[in-house]
Amino acid sequence: MEYKIVNLVASSNLNATLDLYNLATAVPEVEYEPEQFPGAILKIAEPKVSLLLFKNGKIIVSGASSERNIKIAIKKAMNIIHEVQSDVKVKTRVSYEIVNLVATSSLPKQLNLFDVALKLDNIEYEPEQFPGAIARLYDPKVTVLLFKNGKLICAGAKSEEDILKGLKKLKRKINAAKI
């Protein structure tokens, strides 16, 4: 089953205490509003990603389309932070953990989402709340949004293997239920 990864989310740790206020005042690409959110947001244009920076040195990278982009974004963030806080070292080896993959796919048919919700387990469908049905799978642990045009969005995966396994499993269930 074909799919396209549209977002990778990863976490990393700089093992340093960050001065978010000074970063925000010194770097125009950093937004920091501690009343709204405890972290600062660093937006990088190339690759186009956002990084959440926390005082304890943790970083969350969001919006990456590949693992290569995650590494580049973390390196750029380390360089930007190092310019403001020289005690934060730029590491040669970037370590991170992928915490969420989001992928899109599609079925070659229209779906009757009422039938999907009636015939399959662990499906939520409340059209007045959201136009898609929400399928929660437990092996692999992923959530798939289903839309009536056959489009699918798979989120919560930790690996591409989980995406493929989850999408194939859901497709088998839909076909078996003759939806």
Side-chain angles (χ1 to χ4, degrees):
M1 184 164 192
E2 286 187 29
Y3 62 89
K4 179 183 179 194
I5 293 176
V6 293
N7 184 14
L8 284 138
V9 180
S11 71
S12 185
N13 197 332
L14 298 179
N15 299 315
T17 301
L18 302 181
D19 184 341
L20 300 179
Y21 179 78
N22 276 343
L23 279 169
T25 54
V27 181
E29 296 84 9
V30 174
E31 297 171 26
Y32 182 50
E33 295 182 37
E35 322 74 51
Q36 304 287 320
F37 182 70
I41 302 167
L42 169 61
K43 293 188 179 182
I44 296 177
E46 194 52 49
K48 190 174 185 322
V49 299
S50 294
L51 296 97
L52 301 178
L53 310 173
F54 296 94
K55 184 179 177 182
N56 65 2
K58 288 217 178 348
I59 296 178
I60 305 291
V61 182
S62 180
S65 58
S66 68
E67 288 197 48
R68 182 176 176 274
N69 286 349
I70 291 170
K71 290 177 188 172
I72 292 168
I74 293 172
K75 274 262 201 231
K76 283 187 175 185
M78 283 190 286
N79 285 320
I80 290 167
I81 294 165
H82 180 74
E83 285 179 23
V84 178
Q85 272 186 262
S86 57
D87 61 319
V88 176
K89 301 297 176 218
V90 177
K91 300 175 187 174
T92 52
R93 199 176 147 273
V94 174
S95 66
Y96 61 90
E97 176 188 359
I98 293 179
V99 294
N100 185 12
L101 285 163
V102 179
T104 58
S105 186
S106 62
L107 297 170
K109 61 182 173 184
Q110 298 275 313
L111 293 173
N112 180 328
L113 297 179
F114 285 107
D115 280 356
V116 171
L118 282 172
K119 295 179 179 180
L120 300 181
D121 292 335
N122 301 318
I123 304 280
E124 291 175 40
Y125 181 51
E126 296 183 40
E128 38 316 305
Q129 300 286 323
F130 181 69
I134 303 167
R136 298 186 196 290
L137 303 177
Y138 297 99
D139 180 32
K141 191 171 180 353
V142 296
T143 300
V144 181
L145 305 178
L146 301 95
F147 297 93
K148 67 180 182 181
N149 63 1
K151 298 279 186 229
L152 306 172
I153 298 173
C154 180
K158 303 281 191 246
S159 68
E160 285 195 52
E161 183 182 327
D162 285 352
I163 291 170
L164 193 55
K165 190 175 171 186
L167 290 172
K168 282 183 175 179
K169 186 176 194 175
L170 188 61
K171 184 179 179 182
R172 276 194 309 273
K173 285 182 175 190
I174 289 169
N175 289 337
K178 295 181 174 38
I179 299 170

